[in-house]
Amino acid sequence: MTTDTGITENTDPTTTGDVVPPSSQTADIASGDIYLATGGQRIRIRYRRGIGIPLVLCNGIGASLEVLDPLVENLDPNRPVVRFDVPGTGESPTSPLPYGFPYLAWVLGRVLDRLHIGVVDILGLSWGGALAQQFAFQNPRRCRRLILVGTGTGAIMVPGSPKVLSKMLTPKRFSDPAYSAKIAGELYGGVVRNSGQDVAELFIRQLHAGSFKGYVHQLMAGAVWTSLFALPTIRQRTLIIAGTDDPIIPMVNARILKTGLPRPTLHVHDGGHIDLVMNADTFGPVIDDFLGPAKPAKRNWRRTADVNLTPGG
């Protein structure tokens, strides 16, 4: 079937959601990128096909999907992986209006619908951890397992030092490699304290840094959201990965998540905020072990069973 965006989709109900990119401007054949218009947004997606339940990756603030390349390269090659640029980041156009996490989680659900993907596992890094929590909350049967990396409960949490957080008020670190290398150790901690240039090279993978307006929208979404009081309702098995040398999200936030979530597993490491991608060969196996082997799903997902907290879903 050809959609209104010109993307050819596989409508066979026995599949998990393969999308065949056409030879047109709607998809980049070399990178496997797909552009979907849904929920009032146009979203860039990169879908690595595989076997069984896909893993959806939600990135940190201001970062495009390319930043997650090292992690994807170190996951089970048979595991399907879905990455995307949130509005105003990477190659996704900026949203005309600010948005909140409930709306963005709904948009993500619509994207998965368009890809004919049902049940998923979801991983959120930093800012993306808030989106992952919201998605798990809104989709209790669609989301099988949840992985939270270097994240907390949003507006009500224990913040890092103001000196560190002030460096995150603009997306300059994504567009200026020299600046990124200069501040990397102080901002992210862990393995990059003595290798800031590695972070700069990672950020150079981005096609571009997105728009300043899009970055502000992300900041605003995080400023008015908290999961603190909803944690007991997130019933999925959850892996919490936290570093003892994370200047942005202090370790106490992982302890709060562990206390509030019904089915948590806490994995503590001695690294920093973005060791997940800077030391991906270590964390890829940890994630694969938590999710289990990639294998065909045993049951179908029914959309009507999930919670709808936003209009139009």
Side-chain angles (χ1 to χ4, degrees):
M1 177 182 69
T2 302
T3 71
D4 57 356
T5 60
I7 293 178
T8 302
E9 298 180 352
N10 182 351
T11 57
D12 182 350
T14 64
T15 67
T16 58
D18 282 349
V19 174
V20 182
S23 54
S24 70
Q25 72 274 19
T26 59
D28 181 337
I29 301 299
S31 68
D33 288 355
I34 301 164
Y35 294 82
L36 290 177
T38 188
Q41 308 293 337
R42 187 169 185 263
I43 306 295
R44 178 174 70 134
I45 306 108
R46 189 168 295 176
Y47 180 19
R48 186 185 80 178
R49 297 166 181 81
I51 301 170
I53 296 175
L55 174 62
V56 178
L57 302 181
C58 303
N59 215 340
I61 189 169
S64 73
L65 59 82
E66 284 85 2
V67 172
L68 296 171
D69 283 349
L71 175 61
V72 176
E73 292 161 5
N74 283 277
L75 292 171
D76 182 345
N78 292 317
R79 189 179 306 285
V81 179
V82 178
R83 291 180 277 169
F84 60 98
D85 289 336
V86 301
T89 297
E91 287 291 291
S92 291
T94 302
S95 173
L97 297 172
Y99 53 80
F101 284 116
Y103 166 75
L104 195 56
W106 171 75
V107 169
L108 176 56
R110 291 290 296 270
V111 166
L112 296 174
D113 290 344
R114 296 285 297 281
L115 295 175
H116 299 289
I117 293 174
V119 175
V120 298
D121 299 318
I122 190 163
L123 179 152
L125 169 61
S126 190
W127 185 92
L131 176 56
Q133 290 175 69
Q134 184 68 41
F135 184 87
F137 172 72
Q138 288 179 209
N139 301 275
R141 298 194 182 186
R142 187 174 203 173
C143 178
R144 184 186 68 135
R145 293 185 185 173
L146 173 64
I147 303 173
L148 303 175
V149 186
T151 193
T153 55
I156 304 177
M157 62 175 286
V158 179
S161 75
K163 181 180 179 181
V164 170
L165 297 181
S166 66
K167 294 178 171 59
M168 300 183 66
L169 293 177
T170 74
K172 181 179 179 181
R173 64 192 183 280
F174 295 111
S175 58
D176 186 339
Y179 177 73
S180 177
K182 179 181 178 181
I183 69 168
E186 181 183 4
L187 184 59
Y188 299 119
V191 297
V192 302
R193 285 202 181 274
N194 299 314
S195 56
Q197 187 58 39
D198 292 344
V199 175
E201 292 174 1
L202 177 66
F203 288 164
I204 288 173
R205 295 187 187 214
Q206 298 199 142
L207 299 179
H208 58 73
S211 71
F212 179 77
K213 181 180 178 181
Y215 192 85
V216 171
H217 284 174
Q218 286 189 275
L219 286 173
M220 292 172 63
V224 298
W225 175 92
T226 183
S227 64
L228 185 62
F229 308 110
L231 290 179
T233 68
I234 299 177
R235 309 295 301 181
Q236 292 87 348
R237 284 185 56 194
T238 304
L239 175 64
I240 304 164
I241 300 177
T244 57
D245 185 25
D246 186 340
I248 298 174
I249 308 290
M251 172 59 69
V252 64
N253 292 287
R255 306 288 183 190
I256 293 171
L257 287 170
K258 184 176 185 293
T259 299
L261 289 164
R263 305 176 68 192
T265 298
L266 177 59
H267 178 88
V268 177
H269 60 93
D270 60 2
H273 192 66
I274 58 171
D275 278 35
L276 180 75
V277 290
M278 300 305 300
N279 200 11
D281 58 339
T282 296
F283 290 98
V286 172
I287 293 167
D288 281 332
D289 183 65
F290 174 73
L291 296 178
K295 57 185 179 180
K298 294 183 179 179
R299 62 178 181 172
N300 294 325
W301 167 75
R302 295 184 179 180
R303 182 178 179 183
T304 55
D306 282 349
V307 178
N308 176 23
L309 299 181
T310 50

